[in-house]
Amino acid sequence: MQVGGLGRYFIEAASLEEVIQAWEFARSKQLPLFVLGGGSNLLVADSGWPGMVLKVAIPGIKETPRPDDVLFEAGAGEQWDRFVSHAVIVGCAGVECLSGIPGSVGGTPVQNVGAYGQEVSQTIESVRAVDRERGKICDFSRTECEFGYRSSRFNGRERDRYIVVQVSFALRKNGVPRVEYADLQRYFSGRSTPPTLAETREAVRHIRARKGMLLIPGDSDCRSAGSFFKNPVLSDSEFGELAARATARGLEIPSYPGLAAQRKVSAAWLVEHSGFSKGYRQGHAGISSKHALALVNLGGASASEVIALKDEIQRRVEELWGVRLQPEPVLVGF
Ligand code: NAP
């Protein structure tokens, strides 16, 4: 978002050994440690971060063919979209719908990144991390990662405990792409042959660009942290209440089945039906002109202006719809 203050110390670690050295340094100086991936999903306070910022920059993608699939072991510092591109080029399915997402590989298991019907939890086989309590290396199986909707043990019950250093994915050789969401189906409508993995990747990038969700240098709608609010997952009774409020206003809220006995609803719809249109401005902060969920720095915004806008949206949505939107970016130093 290009807002917020400085970190007191910054270190970029290009290997597991350097991550451990950085962790030891921070511990010996009793510095609070913030682990940075790609930096695309953050809002940093105007006062900055009083301790050490550790950027995990471990590179590398190792591929091992197996009888039923291909194992990809990727360094946490690899750019996520470069990893997706590589998987698609070598004909492996499972992450093609996650094209164009900024950030690094190491950040993806933390919030179980997902889009257009795919989530990394569907293909992650294991995660390697450094335990910040003991300085030890730990390996987690998919089950041990405790994945949920945009959640895992790494942002849940053990938030901030582990530094992810490597993620292993099992991808399907010659697998077919997933074309499930309406946006993708519309893109391919009228075609007689199923799209290839590469075409699906291109389609997702095209759709994301249209929504201002692809980083394009010079586009001010991209000065955002992506979606600022999570799509709420409601219980049946909460959803019933929300749907009744919508009906009373002659509206119908888009919703989709969630986990057992739950409904996912569109956060963008709630924002737009609470008096905030695309392109809304409040001081130097605003809403993207392409997507109601992206808060943007219109140029020279402070973190407190962004927070004031976030608070205003949350307040108004809750007042009208009885749903408290939860921010999605990591808030640092607040
Ligand atoms: P969208 O596609 O308009 O979708 C809005 C909501 O409707 C989401 O909760 C989405 O669920 C749900 N949905 C839409 N079609 C669905 C279907 N066929 N089946 C089940 N659920 C459906 O949202 P958007 O804001 O433009 O974002 C596009 C995609 O990027 C979405 O999948 C969104 O979740 C994802 N995204 C992910 C992150 C992240 O991982 N941190 C951040 C921003 C956006 P899902 O959320 O389950 O897809």
Side-chain angles (χ1 to χ4, degrees):
M1 294 198 81
Q2 300 173 15
V3 299
L6 301 177
R8 183 163 166 216
Y9 292 87
F10 177 83
I11 182 160
E12 191 167 309
S15 65
L16 177 57
E17 295 68 35
E18 286 181 7
V19 168
I20 292 173
Q21 281 168 19
W23 170 80
E24 281 168 349
F25 178 82
R27 203 166 70 133
S28 69
K29 299 254 185 264
Q30 296 187 321
L31 292 168
L33 178 63
F34 176 71
V35 181
L36 179 69
S40 55
N41 197 38
L42 298 181
L43 179 63
V44 181
D46 294 318
S47 53
W49 177 250
M52 182 202 272
V53 176
L54 166 60
K55 179 168 167 61
V56 180
I58 301 171
I61 302 173
K62 186 177 156 214
E63 243 171 275
T64 314
R66 302 189 295 198
D68 298 327
D69 56 18
V70 181
L71 180 71
F72 289 79
E73 292 161 294
E78 277 295 329
Q79 273 182 35
W80 172 253
D81 197 45
R82 207 184 82 89
F83 172 68
V84 174
S85 159
H86 177 76
V88 166
I89 286 169
V90 299
C92 286
V95 289
E96 63 283 353
C97 292
L98 306 177
S99 296
I101 294 178
S104 60
V105 164
T108 59
V110 177
Q111 59 154 309
N112 185 14
V113 161
Y116 303 108
Q118 279 180 342
E119 295 185 332
V120 289
S121 60
Q122 295 161 346
T123 44
I124 285 179
E125 183 159 296
S126 64
V127 171
R128 176 163 291 178
V130 174
D131 181 350
R132 288 167 58 164
E133 282 178 14
R134 298 177 297 142
K136 290 270 179 296
I137 299 161
C138 310
D139 287 299
F140 297 95
S141 68
R142 178 185 307 170
T143 312
E144 287 167 338
C145 292
E146 299 170 14
F147 289 120
Y149 183 65
R150 306 290 177 265
S151 69
S152 72
R153 76 188 288 164
F154 310 114
N155 71 357
R157 71 180 173 91
E158 291 189 305
R159 180 182 209 101
D160 292 338
R161 173 157 177 187
Y162 296 100
I163 305 170
V164 175
V165 292
Q166 181 183 291
V167 188
S168 300
F169 297 85
L171 303 184
R172 297 180 311 280
K173 187 81 188 161
N174 302 322
V176 287
R178 191 170 188 132
V179 182
E180 201 181 276
Y181 272 35
D183 277 341
L184 276 173
Q185 289 186 347
R186 263 193 301 274
Y187 185 93
F188 289 118
S189 67
R191 266 182 71 125
S192 51
T193 51
T196 62
L197 287 172
E199 286 168 336
T200 306
R201 170 169 162 76
E202 257 333 285
V204 170
R205 289 177 64 86
H206 178 89
I207 294 163
R208 290 187 68 92
R210 220 177 47 214
K211 296 184 179 189
M213 293 286 181
L214 194 67
L215 286 180
I216 298 171
D219 181 348
S220 57
D221 275 330
C222 296
R223 225 181 284 131
S224 78
S227 296
F228 208 92
F229 298 105
K230 295 181 192 171
N231 293 304
V233 179
L234 305 179
S235 68
D236 272 348
S237 69
E238 288 166 332
F239 178 70
E241 216 175 285
L242 173 63
R245 289 189 191 216
T247 309
R249 292 178 168 82
L251 298 167
E252 192 185 341
I253 180 158
S255 77
Y256 303 88
L259 307 169
Q262 290 177 324
R263 299 286 303 176
K264 268 179 299 172
V265 298
S266 164
W269 189 95
L270 290 167
V271 171
E272 289 199 275
H273 286 81
S274 301
F276 300 98
S277 47
K278 294 180 189 123
Y280 178 90
R281 303 172 77 98
Q282 186 173 301
H284 298 95
I287 295 179
S288 158
S289 64
K290 302 191 184 80
H291 199 314
L293 269 196
L295 303 196
V296 290
N297 170 8
L298 297 168
S302 63
S304 52
E305 281 177 296
V306 178
I307 291 289
L309 176 58
K310 163 197 101 67
D311 289 345
E312 181 61 13
I313 294 172
Q314 281 176 314
R315 190 188 62 74
R316 192 88 185 112
V317 169
E318 192 166 14
E319 195 175 277
L320 278 173
W321 302 103
V323 173
R324 179 88 182 153
L325 290 180
Q326 296 305 323
E328 195 213 271
V330 177
L331 304 181
V332 185
F334 288 92

